[in-house]
Amino acid sequence: MKQTGIIAFIVFTLLVGCASGGKGTTISGVVSLDEGITGAVVNIESRVNNNTEITIANFETFSNALSDFLVGELSANLISSGKFIVLERNSALDAVNAEHQFQMSGFVNDSSAVGIGHYLGAKVVITGNFSRFADFNQISLRAIDVRTSQLLALYIVRIQPDDTVLVSTGLLNSIAAPAITEKALIHLNQAKNILSSKTNTELGWILNKNKIFRELDRALSINSNLGEAYIIRGRLHWAISFESRNLNSKKAQKYADMAMSDLTAALDIQPDHFQSLQLRTYIYMQRGNYDQAIADLNVAYNFFTDNSSFFVLRGDTYCRKGNFDLAIEDYEAALRINPNSNSAIKGLETARKNR
């Protein structure tokens, strides 16, 4: 490996608007998606030896379709560079599910990413995050050395909100993105950085939870409309609830209730965030509130008509309720979109068997 350490590849400045104008801040340093992805590859090239086996473990966004698109863009550019051996990612996603690092919370941290890297035979593993705000989109990437678990690079770039490539895909929906101040973004990014760090193994993430909550609370005290902050806090509350379920039922219930409250706040702001919808539906299902879970999914139907994971989730909910005919319809819809969906195939077999 080349010299290690954390790099801030692009340094951002802000121009303060006139107080009398009421326009707030204008963010500078915003680039196109193509420029941002190119910068990411240059950043990785400067930190990783040539011919290194590399894989992308996870790219979290508000939708699976956008995540797949961004992974494809980054993978294509890494391959085009000719500097790396880019390994197939599909089985990496299976490894995430197998590890259950944070159970249904959806978090992939450095340690779980390293596990995926070992599983695939990669020497470097990349995780990513895409956040959408009113004035810009933010992409953050982490490159981790699989052998040492060391963070090689932290790359953050701001993408134009109306980027031609992103708009042309139709993946940026019509939901209004929240405005964010520079100060609130610092706290939000810090919370995400702590959550992703390699210290969050086993009990380590619980020991860091107060730091994460503090940063999220500070971000929300500045900008109360940050759906992403509620999403992260809700998922962390659920992770704590899940870990406590066999030790302290009252604590588990308390944190599950807090997770529901945060996820509800998040979905009120950002109703198209699939992972939050998925987790709230899962909590409803765990509590036996199948009608509420299905009502959630039916309201969200218009957001996910081309998303196979949505139909699998609703099919699973119908199965839990015993509505196997409706479950079969949803699993079949999922397979029309993604014929290779293992979850849909297994769900369909179960539903047909029990009908």
Side-chain angles (χ1 to χ4, degrees):
M1 296 296 168
K2 298 182 182 178
Q3 179 185 0
T4 56
I6 300 176
I7 294 180
F9 182 73
I10 294 181
V11 179
F12 302 103
T13 61
L14 62 90
L15 302 176
V16 181
C18 297
S20 59
K23 294 183 179 180
T25 60
T26 301
I27 305 296
S28 66
V30 182
V31 302
S32 69
L33 177 65
D34 286 341
E35 291 170 324
I37 295 294
T38 298
V41 174
V42 171
N43 177 255
I44 295 167
E45 286 176 346
S46 72
R47 315 305 290 178
V48 179
N49 288 330
N50 291 349
N51 297 317
T52 295
E53 293 88 351
I54 193 168
T55 192
I56 304 169
N58 183 59
F59 209 124
E60 184 172 345
T61 72
F62 56 82
S63 79
N64 291 345
L66 180 58
S67 176
D68 290 342
F69 173 76
L70 292 172
V71 167
E73 290 292 294
L74 181 57
S75 295
N77 278 266
L78 287 169
I79 292 170
S80 296
S81 74
K83 301 292 182 64
F84 309 109
I85 301 170
V86 182
L87 302 180
E88 175 59 43
R89 168 179 175 266
N90 290 339
S91 54
L93 298 181
D94 294 336
V96 172
N97 294 330
E99 287 191 26
H100 292 291
Q101 187 66 222
F102 284 97
Q103 303 299 337
M104 281 295 294
S105 68
F107 296 127
V108 177
N109 69 347
D110 289 358
S111 294
S112 55
V114 163
I116 295 167
H118 281 299
Y119 179 82
L120 292 177
K123 291 185 174 63
V124 171
V125 64
I126 297 172
T127 61
N129 179 277
F130 178 93
S131 301
R132 190 172 173 224
F133 303 109
D135 295 324
F136 60 92
N137 301 304
Q138 177 181 274
I139 288 178
S140 59
L141 296 173
R142 298 171 70 86
I144 304 117
D145 185 328
V146 172
R147 182 178 61 84
T148 65
S149 298
Q150 187 168 9
L151 180 63
L152 300 177
L154 172 62
Y155 171 87
I156 301 176
V157 64
R158 295 176 184 178
I159 307 299
Q160 296 163 353
D162 55 352
D163 176 78
T164 303
V165 174
L166 285 174
V167 171
S168 67
T169 65
L171 297 174
L172 295 182
N173 52 50
S174 59
I175 301 299
I180 189 169
T181 64
E182 196 73 21
K183 189 174 181 181
L185 184 60
I186 289 172
H187 291 301
L188 180 60
N189 283 341
Q190 178 66 4
K192 290 157 68 173
N193 188 51
I194 297 170
L195 189 58
S196 297
S197 68
K198 65 182 180 181
T199 59
N200 285 334
T201 57
E202 297 178 355
L203 294 178
W205 67 273
I206 296 180
L207 298 176
N208 279 327
K209 73 180 188 302
N210 289 336
K211 295 179 183 178
I212 301 170
F213 286 140
R214 182 168 61 247
E215 295 297 334
L216 293 173
D217 291 345
R218 286 172 176 171
L220 287 167
S221 70
I222 299 168
N223 290 136
S224 61
N225 64 336
L226 295 181
E228 188 174 13
Y230 286 114
I231 289 164
I232 295 171
R233 197 171 69 178
R235 290 161 69 182
L236 186 56
H237 278 145
W238 174 249
I240 296 171
S241 172
F242 197 93
E243 291 293 326
S244 304
R245 68 195 186 284
N246 293 326
L247 301 175
N248 188 328
S249 59
K250 290 184 178 179
K251 181 178 179 180
Q253 180 65 42
K254 172 187 173 183
Y255 276 96
D257 290 342
M258 293 168 73
M260 288 294 288
S261 177
D262 278 334
L263 292 170
T264 297
L267 288 167
D268 285 344
I269 297 168
Q270 199 173 340
D272 60 337
H273 193 277
F274 183 72
Q275 286 80 11
S276 295
L277 176 71
Q278 187 178 34
L279 179 53
R280 190 168 74 170
T281 299
Y282 177 81
I283 297 174
Y284 277 141
M285 288 170 62
Q286 289 296 302
R287 293 178 167 185
N289 297 333
Y290 303 126
D291 289 337
Q292 287 175 286
I294 291 170
D296 248 12
L297 292 168
N298 288 341
V299 168
Y301 174 79
N302 291 331
F303 294 120
F304 305 112
T305 54
D306 60 348
N307 189 319
S308 64
S309 297
F310 165 79
F311 289 102
V312 170
L313 180 60
R314 196 169 66 175
D316 289 346
T317 309
Y318 279 131
C319 261
R320 289 284 192 98
K321 192 179 179 183
N323 290 349
F324 297 113
D325 288 337
L326 292 177
I328 289 170
E329 290 180 14
D330 275 341
Y331 291 133
E332 289 176 341
L335 289 170
R336 285 194 292 272
I337 298 169
N338 179 10
N340 298 316
S341 171
N342 289 329
S343 298
I345 293 170
K346 292 178 181 177
L348 184 59
E349 291 175 353
T350 299
R352 285 175 172 171
K353 181 179 179 180
N354 289 282
R355 181 171 58 176

